[in-house]
């Protein structure tokens, strides 16, 4: 039997932090089928002295908020993606913070364009510190508050009103 009392329960999806990189919130999905964690990045550039620079795509909507990061390369590895095709990726190390646990993890830099989650948390990242409850999400983190329907309607009405004012201004302009 394994000890469970000292492990943090997490859901199939959580918000994680990367304090070393100045990233306070990033939506991640736990993937017990993946050995290594994968992070969606763009503009990967290999630098001298075994370093790499890349843009972390923090949010996909509205052009996406991005953070530039420079890190030492731990290794280059052939990673087999979910479609079975091997892909050569840079592996970097950083600090992960989730549910009060802070630990160093390795992350492969990948293009996850079109995927819902910007990051996959693999077995190595969750081993020894976390238990996964596959039926729940955001157990160890708090999702951002959603706008209430009434608030969304107010915003939509204001947008419509602004459009009407602009149209009227264009019509009355000489």
């Amino acid at each position: 039997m394994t000890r469970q009392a000292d492990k943090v329960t997490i859901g199939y999806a959580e918000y994680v932090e990367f304090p070393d990189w100045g990233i306070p919130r990033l939506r991640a999905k736990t993937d017990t089928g993946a050995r290594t964690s994968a992070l969606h990045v763009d503009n990967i550039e290999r630098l001298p002295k075994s370093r790499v620079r890349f843009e972390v795509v923090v949010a996909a909507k509205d052009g996406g908020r991005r953070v530039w990061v420079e890190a030492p390369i731990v290794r280059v590895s052939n990673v087999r993606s979910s479609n079975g095709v091997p892909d050569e990726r840079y592996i970097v190390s950083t600090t992960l913070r989730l549910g009060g646990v802070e630990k160093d993890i390795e992350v492969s830099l990948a293009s996850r364009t079109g995927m819902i989650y910007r990051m996959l948390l693999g077995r190595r990242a969750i081993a020894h510190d976390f238990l996964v409850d596959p039926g729940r999400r955001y157990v160890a983190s708090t999702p951002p508050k959603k706008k209430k329907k009434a608030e969304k309607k107010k915003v939509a009405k204001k947008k419509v009103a602004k459009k009407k004012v602009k149209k009227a201004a264009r019509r009355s302009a000489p």
Side-chain angles (χ1 to χ4, degrees), residues 55-138:
E55 255 186 322
V56 178
V57 181
V58 179
K61 292 181 181 177
D62 303 323
R65 189 170 77 79
R66 296 162 179 265
V67 175
W68 278 99
V69 174
E70 188 176 312
I73 298 168
V74 174
R75 68 180 183 282
V76 178
S77 182
N78 277 319
V79 177
R80 191 171 42 243
S81 63
S82 59
N83 63 9
V85 177
D87 185 24
E88 192 172 83
R89 295 185 192 168
Y90 294 114
I91 309 292
V92 297
S93 179
T94 190
T95 302
L96 167 80
R97 189 181 295 149
L98 172 60
V101 174
E102 197 166 292
K103 67 186 288 187
D104 290 333
I105 65 166
E106 289 186 351
V107 179
S108 71
L109 306 179
S111 173
R112 294 187 45 76
T113 304
M115 303 293 183
I116 295 170
Y117 295 92
R118 305 288 96 200
M119 177 169 193
L120 293 179
L121 278 177
R123 288 191 309 269
R124 287 182 179 160
I126 59 180
H128 310 294
D129 296 299
F130 302 103
L131 290 174
V132 180
D133 182 342
R136 297 170 59 200
R137 62 182 177 163
Y138 312 125

Side-chain angles (χ1 to χ4, degrees), residues 2-173:
T2 59
R3 289 187 49 192
Q4 296 178 4
D6 57 347
K7 295 184 180 185
V8 174
T9 301
I10 61 174
Y12 71 86
E14 293 288 348
Y15 281 91
V16 299
E17 298 176 46
F18 294 109
D20 297 346
W21 296 346
I23 298 173
R25 285 177 74 82
L26 182 74
R27 198 162 75 147
K29 182 178 178 184
T30 55
D31 185 354
T32 59
R35 183 179 304 133
T36 308
S37 299
L39 177 64
H40 178 60
V41 298
D42 280 338
N43 302 316
I44 299 171
E45 180 185 347
R46 183 152 189 171
L47 303 173
K49 299 181 182 177
S50 295
R51 295 185 66 77
V52 66
R53 181 182 12 234
F54 51 93
E55 255 186 322
V56 178
V57 181
V58 179
K61 292 181 181 177
D62 303 323
R65 189 170 77 79
R66 296 162 179 265
V67 175
W68 278 99
V69 174
E70 188 176 312
I73 298 168
V74 174
R75 68 180 183 282
V76 178
S77 182
N78 277 319
V79 177
R80 191 171 42 243
S81 63
S82 59
N83 63 9
V85 177
D87 185 24
E88 192 172 83
R89 295 185 192 168
Y90 294 114
I91 309 292
V92 297
S93 179
T94 190
T95 302
L96 167 80
R97 189 181 295 149
L98 172 60
V101 174
E102 197 166 292
K103 67 186 288 187
D104 290 333
I105 65 166
E106 289 186 351
V107 179
S108 71
L109 306 179
S111 173
R112 294 187 45 76
T113 304
M115 303 293 183
I116 295 170
Y117 295 92
R118 305 288 96 200
M119 177 169 193
L120 293 179
L121 278 177
R123 288 191 309 269
R124 287 182 179 160
I126 59 180
H128 310 294
D129 296 299
F130 302 103
L131 290 174
V132 180
D133 182 342
R136 297 170 59 200
R137 62 182 177 163
Y138 312 125
V139 177
S141 62
T142 307
K145 293 187 178 190
K146 291 185 177 181
K147 292 181 181 177
K148 294 181 180 176
K149 285 185 180 180
E151 191 177 323
K152 286 181 180 178
K153 285 181 182 178
K154 279 184 184 178
V155 170
K157 283 181 182 178
K158 284 182 181 178
K159 285 182 181 178
V160 169
K162 281 183 181 179
K163 284 182 181 178
K164 285 182 180 178
V165 169
K166 284 182 181 179
K167 262 187 181 177
R170 275 190 252 135
R171 287 184 189 151
S172 63

